[in-house]
Amino acid sequence: MSKQIWKPGNMLYPLPVVLVSVAGAAGERNLFTVAWTGTVCSDPPMVSISVRKQRHSHGMIGETGEFVINLTTEKLAFATDYCGVKSGRDVDKWKEMKLTPVSAQHVKAPLLEESPVNLECKVTEVRELGSHDMFLAEVVCVHADEAYMDEKGRFDLAKADPIVYSHGTYYTMGSPLGTFGYSVRKK
């Protein structure tokens, strides 16, 4: 096998692509797309999002220290793209995409009703990393849509048709290959 040598870059793909909702101190709200997000810790439950300093929502997160991560689906793919290319300075993305903001339990930022899972987050640390700032946050509440529960009451993410992002393209997730530990499970 022959491999090419490339300059250093972010080649960790695919990535989850989420819609992050925010609210400013004066009550204004926005929704924007983030592909640079991930799990940081399980106890306490923590996540991160990396946001360009120039993004309209960056300032709102800085003001309130709060945001909501809304998982995206195949049905939300168009809105996900739109919210990544349009600025909340210029357009009300909630209105333009006919999306529904819903009050959260613990943060000022609204939940996206159309999302199967919403993570209410409170920022614990901001890391300045060059082009982006990383907001490390504790997950203070999780909302899971009952429409995606299986017969045993467990959340079935496959029913939601989640999407991922890779090199400028959105993809559906495809078929499951196995569950954690299947390689060593006794038959």
Side-chain angles (χ1 to χ4, degrees):
M1 171 171 45
S2 176
K3 293 190 178 186
Q4 296 179 1
I5 303 294
W6 294 354
K7 68 178 183 171
N10 297 331
M11 296 298 295
L12 188 58
Y13 288 109
L15 300 166
V17 59
V18 298
L19 286 166
V20 174
S21 46
V22 297
E28 68 279 25
R29 63 182 185 219
N30 195 32
L31 185 65
F32 70 111
T33 304
V34 174
W36 293 4
T37 184
T39 299
V40 175
C41 186
S42 58
D43 187 17
M46 293 186 71
V47 293
S48 70
I49 60 171
S50 292
V51 182
R52 284 189 183 277
K53 294 171 174 64
Q54 303 87 342
R55 296 289 296 260
H56 181 56
S57 294
H58 184 284
M60 289 187 213
I61 297 170
E63 288 175 2
T64 64
E66 301 174 344
F67 58 87
V68 175
I69 294 176
N70 304 280
L71 299 189
T72 56
T73 65
E74 189 171 355
K75 288 180 184 176
L76 287 169
F78 187 86
T80 300
D81 185 65
Y82 183 89
C83 291
V85 296
K86 292 291 189 175
S87 173
R89 288 182 186 96
D90 306 322
V91 65
D92 181 344
K93 294 181 251 184
W94 294 93
K95 181 181 173 186
E96 292 299 316
M97 291 291 98
K98 297 178 176 64
L99 298 172
T100 312
V102 178
S103 294
Q105 295 290 311
H106 301 282
V107 300
K108 291 183 177 106
L111 310 176
L112 171 60
E113 183 175 335
E114 292 80 2
S115 172
V117 176
N118 319 89
L119 308 175
E120 294 186 43
C121 303
K122 290 192 176 187
V123 175
T124 59
E125 183 181 345
V126 180
R127 305 274 318 258
E128 293 187 30
L129 301 172
S131 62
H132 290 67
D133 284 346
M134 181 191 315
F135 294 94
L136 295 167
E138 185 170 348
V139 177
V140 296
C141 189
V142 176
H143 302 258
D145 191 329
E146 291 179 352
Y148 302 104
M149 300 297 176
D150 67 14
E151 63 282 347
K152 294 181 180 176
R154 293 181 302 213
F155 187 79
D156 185 354
L157 187 62
K159 286 183 180 179
D161 294 322
I163 59 174
V164 295
Y165 180 81
S166 182
H167 294 283
T169 303
Y170 304 97
Y171 294 93
T172 56
M173 295 277 296
S175 302
L177 301 174
T179 58
F180 179 76
Y182 82 100
S183 64
V184 296
R185 194 170 293 125
K186 293 180 181 180
K187 297 185 184 200

